[in-house]
Amino acid sequence: RGQSDDNLNTLTGRTKAWDLVYEVDRSEYTRLFGVGYGDKSIQGLPIDSGYIATFHETGVVGVAAVIAILSIGAFRALLDPRPANRAFALFLFAYVAVASYTETGIGDMSAYVLHVVLAFTVLVGRTRRRTSDAQPPRPRPVVTERPAIGSGPSIEASRAVS
């Protein structure tokens, strides 16, 4: 499509910014906790990777938190007994994990974070009891038939007694 080999090799220039992020001289504190939230760029180049931008802004702690949340969510999704919920949640976690490689947003409030929240919401929803787990039905109370009106002792029989 008219793109050069350099664009292909550098993912349209993304890896140039990624290299700059790793080349920054960082203190131990900055390596652990990052430089703080910003515009996700370095020396005017957009970082364009959720994981690398998270590392730059929130450090190793932020990247570890993102990976832990995605891993725990995917593991929880694998254990969900409801097939539709399991598939939907796994799709969302996989989509966010893969898309965050070349798109920013996983480290701050964005559509990707909302996808993760939606996936967790699907997983923690109530499950219906299966029929085998359900309680046995309660016995219904026995209703005896009442005597029909006029089927009791007649008025004449009660007059005869008095």
Side-chain angles (χ1 to χ4, degrees):
R1 296 199 224 159
Q3 295 177 353
S4 67
D5 289 340
D6 185 49
N7 279 344
L8 181 62
N9 293 335
T10 63
L11 295 175
T12 61
R14 285 179 171 95
T15 58
K16 293 175 185 175
W18 299 351
D19 291 339
L20 288 174
V21 170
Y22 291 124
E23 291 171 1
V24 169
D25 189 28
R26 298 176 188 273
S27 67
E28 187 67 23
Y29 180 85
T30 307
R31 192 171 59 73
L32 284 175
F33 300 107
V35 298
Y37 284 112
D39 63 354
K40 294 176 187 25
S41 68
I42 187 163
Q43 296 179 6
L45 293 173
I47 295 176
D48 280 342
S49 172
Y51 302 110
I52 296 173
T54 301
F55 170 72
H56 182 62
E57 294 180 340
T58 61
V60 173
V61 172
V63 173
V66 166
I67 291 172
I69 289 168
L70 291 176
S71 300
I72 289 168
F75 183 72
R76 171 62 180 88
L78 286 171
L79 299 178
D80 197 289
R82 300 161 296 177
N85 290 15
R86 178 176 51 237
F88 183 67
L90 279 173
F91 168 76
L92 285 176
F93 286 122
Y95 168 70
V96 168
V98 171
S100 293
Y101 179 70
T102 59
E103 297 292 330
T104 58
I106 190 64
D108 54 357
M109 188 49 72
S110 68
Y112 293 127
V113 174
L114 293 177
H115 287 102
V116 170
V117 169
L118 177 63
F120 272 109
T121 303
V122 166
L123 293 175
V124 297
R126 281 199 248 162
T127 59
R128 288 190 202 165
R129 284 195 229 172
R130 291 179 289 198
T131 352
S132 60
D133 296 341
Q135 298 289 332
R138 294 186 201 166
R140 290 184 163 183
V142 178
V143 178
T144 57
E145 291 186 32
R146 293 184 179 169
I149 297 177
S151 64
S154 65
I155 297 176
E156 293 154 9
S158 63
R159 283 187 191 159
V161 174
S162 18

